[in-house]
């Protein structure tokens, strides 16, 4: 996917956060985009009142911090709005900027993280900032790359060089599936480059996700409720830190307990 990215200098002038309309209630259910992300990423059924998520259980992907209060966490644009502006969003119309700022169609475009990690990151790209949680590094870089290509945003030379260096070394086992590409958009899964074992292969011969034991189906997204309905909980994370469905909130290697 890095080979699909355009390398270009950034356009820093002209950014205004007010030009990127968020958070909006896209489906009219009373929850705006921030609340939708908090509700979806809570590790237990959250308390919702007056169209706000109040209490639940969250684990910050960037630094591993946990909380039961939604107000402690920010909802982060993995590729920040200012970075999107500098990388090509400066030329977008208002509707495209709104769609980007509230994108829930790719589940890792927006994530709930600790306020301190979000403030630390700011608008910096991977050449300037990386998550302190080492188990998050490769997945974060895969998300970043996928979002940049998906939205046809460029990378500056230092940004591209940094991601490429990790892709060739520490993150060489991370893969992005490009099979489902349509009109410039890409659906992705991120997984360790680990061949499925016999225990991970379903008896019917269907595809099986190599990141988990027992076998989980390869789908766009999966949560612990789905896993329990399949009768496969608890689930072992084969390589801690490679958890594309984000089932292991406390990063202990055992998910959906």
């Amino acid at each position: 996917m890095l080979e699909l990215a355009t390398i270009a200098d950034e356009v820093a002038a002209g950014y205004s956060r007010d030009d990127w309309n968020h958070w909006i209630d896209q489906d009219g259910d009373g929850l705006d985009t921030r609340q939708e992300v908090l509700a979806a990423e809570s590790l237990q059924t959250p308390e919702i009142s007056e169209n706000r998520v109040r209490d639940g259980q969250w684990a910050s992907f960037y630094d591993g911090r946990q909380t039961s209060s939604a107000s402690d966490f920010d909802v982060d644009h993995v590729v920040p709005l200012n970075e999107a502006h500098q990388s090509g969003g400066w030329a977008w119309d208002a509707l495209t900027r709104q769609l980007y700022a509230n994108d829930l169609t790719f589940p890792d475009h927006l994530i709930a993280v600790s306020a301190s990690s979000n403030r630390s990151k700011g608008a910096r790209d991977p050449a300037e900032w990386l998550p302190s949680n080492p188990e998050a590094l490769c997945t974060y870089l895969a998300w970043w790359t996928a979002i940049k290509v998906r939205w046809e945003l460029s990378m500056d030379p230092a940004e591209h060089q940094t991601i490429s260096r990790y892709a060739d070394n520490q993150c060489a086992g991370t893969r992005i599936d490009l099979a489902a590409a349509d009109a410039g958009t890409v659906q992705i899964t991120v997984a360790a480059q680990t061949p499925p074992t016999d225990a991970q292969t379903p008896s019917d011969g269907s595809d099986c996700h190599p990141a988990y034991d027992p076998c989980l189906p390869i789908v766009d997204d999966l949560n612990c409720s789905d896993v329990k309905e399949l009768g496969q909980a608890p689930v072992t994370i084969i390589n801690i830190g490679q958890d594309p469905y984000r089932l292991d909130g406390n990063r202990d290697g055992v998910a959906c307990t």
Side-chain angles (χ1 to χ4, degrees):
M1 186 171 276
L2 281 168
E3 295 177 357
L4 300 177
T6 300
I7 302 175
D9 292 333
E10 295 180 339
V11 177
Y15 171 73
S16 172
R17 190 173 178 85
D18 292 339
D19 292 337
W20 301 72
N21 183 27
H22 66 293
W23 307 110
I24 64 171
D25 180 5
Q26 300 182 56
D27 56 9
D29 67 350
L31 299 180
D32 64 26
T33 306
R34 169 181 161 81
Q35 306 306 317
E36 296 278 11
V37 174
L38 288 169
E41 297 201 352
S42 178
L43 302 174
Q44 64 185 44
T45 302
E47 177 187 335
I48 300 175
S49 63
E50 298 178 347
N51 295 329
R52 294 183 66 84
V53 177
R54 306 290 181 179
D55 297 310
Q57 187 66 44
W58 293 271
S60 173
F61 187 67
Y62 292 160
D63 55 11
R65 294 190 180 184
Q66 299 192 34
T67 187
S68 59
S69 175
S71 62
D72 293 341
F73 268 30
D74 290 346
V75 170
D76 178 52
H77 292 87
V78 169
V79 176
L81 300 180
N82 194 352
E83 172 68 22
H85 167 88
Q86 296 179 52
S87 306
W90 57 269
W92 291 349
D93 60 21
L95 176 58
T96 305
R97 289 174 179 170
Q98 176 177 293
L99 290 171
Y100 180 89
N102 298 275
D103 186 7
L104 295 174
T105 59
F106 172 42
D108 302 307
H109 186 92
L110 294 161
I111 61 172
V113 297
S114 67
S116 58
S117 67
N118 191 33
R119 312 294 162 75
S120 170
K121 174 188 172 186
R124 294 187 287 178
D125 69 30
E128 304 161 317
W129 184 93
L130 290 169
S132 61
N133 175 13
E135 296 173 355
L137 173 63
C138 296
T139 301
Y140 174 74
L141 292 175
W143 288 348
W144 183 284
T145 303
I147 292 166
K148 279 289 182 99
V149 173
R150 185 171 189 264
W151 284 89
E152 299 182 356
L153 295 170
S154 64
M155 294 185 180
D156 67 57
E159 171 191 353
H160 190 272
Q161 183 178 26
T162 297
I163 300 173
S164 296
R165 184 173 67 249
Y166 279 104
D168 289 338
N169 294 284
Q170 185 173 343
C171 301
T174 301
R175 291 290 178 266
I176 300 176
D177 182 6
L178 298 180
D182 179 32
T185 65
V186 180
Q187 296 177 352
I188 78 162
T189 58
V190 182
Q193 191 182 12
T194 304
T197 64
D198 291 340
Q200 292 171 276
T201 304
S203 58
D204 62 1
S206 60
D207 289 340
C208 176
H209 210 302
Y212 303 99
D213 184 16
C215 171
L216 295 179
I218 298 177
V219 293
D220 289 343
D221 196 18
L222 201 70
N223 59 41
C224 282
S225 295
D226 300 323
V227 173
K228 290 173 182 177
E229 287 182 7
L230 292 169
Q232 293 177 296
V235 175
T236 299
I237 310 299
I238 302 299
N239 296 301
I240 295 178
Q242 298 291 345
D243 180 17
Y245 295 144
R246 288 182 287 169
L247 303 175
D248 184 18
N250 62 2
R251 309 296 194 273
D252 68 352
V254 182
C256 300
T257 54

